[in-house]
Amino acid sequence: MTLSERQNHILALLDKAAGNLTSTELTQAFGVSVQTIRKDLNELSNLGLVQRVHGGITRPRQNRNLSFTNRQVINLEAKQAIARAVAARLPEGASIFLGNGTTPQQVAQALLDHPGLQVITNNLDAALTLCQNPNIETLLAGGRIRPSDQDLMGEDTTRFMRRFQVNFGIFGIGGLSAKGELIDFSPEESHLTRAIIDCSDQRILVTDSSKYLRSAPVRTGHLSEIDLFITEMLPEPVQALLAATDAEVVCASPQQQEPAK
């Protein structure tokens, strides 16, 4: 399923409210009935995007990530806008890493008309998308397939990625902590993202606002290691974190349409 505009707004409000909202606050915010909000919250809860509590919702406490399918519906328009911003910055002939996750998968979609790249990835969906463009050479890492995440992971995967030194490393994260830490849900994910950070001339973090202050157990790096941060919205706490770094920041508006050809 695809989240409705109101359901995406509920998730955004939940992030701004530090992970707790009451049903009364939501009915007042949207001017709809309790029954309408209850239906939205039940659907979000069934997808694992929120946790129902007495009188409202909280962010689910997770030591593992949501499935790839569930993550695909979260802030889809924002991820597409982020992807277009990335694609516009990649010159012909560049070499890139494309990491795991739904935002890098949207980057692959945005590259379908690119004039030419070399892409190294562990992202199965991205690889299948990129092979439709004859101007893109795609190298797919080997390793253990994670069906729920539609990617490859493990020591062989990370070792393969570390064989390269590329122009641009493009990757997402499991979450961004209040201290600016880049965090992931498993050591395997962390090791692979670390390889992308270490083996790229320019490091590009792509993440939508649903990852801000999201909990995950493994520390991978810090915002200070990022050269370019592309998102769709910057809450004030994240702006403050980025102000202390040298990272370039791009806010890609979901309302911005692709230029006519």
Side-chain angles (χ1 to χ4, degrees):
M1 65 170 288
T2 301
L3 296 188
S4 68
E5 183 178 356
R6 185 171 59 243
Q7 287 170 331
N8 273 312
H9 284 168
I10 289 172
L11 294 178
L13 286 174
L14 188 59
D15 288 331
K16 291 180 181 179
N20 292 277
L21 276 175
T22 67
S23 299
T24 301
E25 288 172 326
L26 290 170
T27 57
Q28 292 174 349
F30 294 101
V32 296
S33 67
V34 174
Q35 290 77 13
T36 298
I37 288 297
R38 184 179 296 125
K39 181 176 181 294
D40 283 332
L41 299 187
N42 285 339
E43 290 179 356
L44 292 171
S45 177
N46 290 338
L47 287 170
L49 305 179
V50 303
Q51 181 177 341
R52 296 297 304 271
V53 295
H54 181 69
I57 53 171
T58 67
R59 273 294 191 187
R61 295 178 181 177
Q62 298 168 331
N63 285 325
R64 57 181 300 176
N65 206 355
L66 300 169
S67 72
F68 189 90
T69 301
N70 284 1
R71 281 181 281 139
Q72 280 181 312
V73 304
I74 301 175
N75 284 355
L76 178 58
E77 290 185 356
K79 293 173 182 177
Q80 291 170 335
I82 292 167
R84 291 193 295 269
V86 174
R89 284 176 168 259
L90 299 179
E92 182 176 357
S95 58
I96 71 171
F97 285 131
L98 200 53
N100 49 287
T102 55
T103 305
Q105 195 272 335
Q106 288 300 322
V107 173
Q109 289 285 345
L111 293 174
L112 281 176
D113 294 324
H114 198 281
L117 292 169
Q118 182 186 60
V119 181
I120 300 98
T121 186
N122 70 314
N123 190 318
L124 287 172
D125 270 294
L128 289 172
T129 297
L130 292 170
C131 70
Q132 300 175 57
N133 184 340
N135 298 315
I136 294 181
E137 177 190 9
T138 304
L139 288 74
L140 180 63
R144 176 178 57 84
I145 293 178
R146 299 193 302 176
S148 64
D149 294 274
Q150 299 179 25
D151 59 21
L152 297 112
M153 280 289 170
E155 291 183 10
D156 289 340
T157 312
T158 302
R159 190 179 301 115
F160 180 84
M161 302 290 270
R162 284 193 174 275
R163 291 171 58 188
F164 300 89
Q165 181 70 30
V166 304
N167 302 128
F168 303 94
I170 303 163
F171 62 96
I173 51 172
L176 177 63
S177 79
K179 297 180 180 179
E181 295 168 324
L182 313 179
I183 49 181
D184 282 300
F185 285 92
S186 73
E188 287 182 326
E189 290 174 340
S190 179
H191 292 159
L192 188 129
T193 299
R194 192 67 243 175
I196 293 176
I197 292 172
D198 293 342
C199 301
S200 301
D201 298 333
Q202 186 176 48
R203 305 160 185 88
I204 303 177
L205 175 60
V206 292
T207 181
D208 68 280
S209 56
S210 69
K211 303 296 180 67
Y212 301 156
L213 305 181
R214 187 182 184 199
S215 176
V218 185
R219 289 185 294 180
T220 296
H222 192 271
L223 276 178
S224 59
E225 300 178 87
I226 303 305
D227 299 297
L228 176 59
F229 184 94
I230 303 183
T231 187
E232 94 287 7
M233 182 179 67
L234 275 178
E236 289 186 6
V238 182
Q239 292 181 38
L241 290 170
L242 286 164
T245 75
D246 294 325
E248 179 185 357
V249 180
V250 172
C251 280
S253 170
Q255 283 73 41
Q256 183 178 353
Q257 299 298 315
E258 294 182 76
K261 297 182 180 179

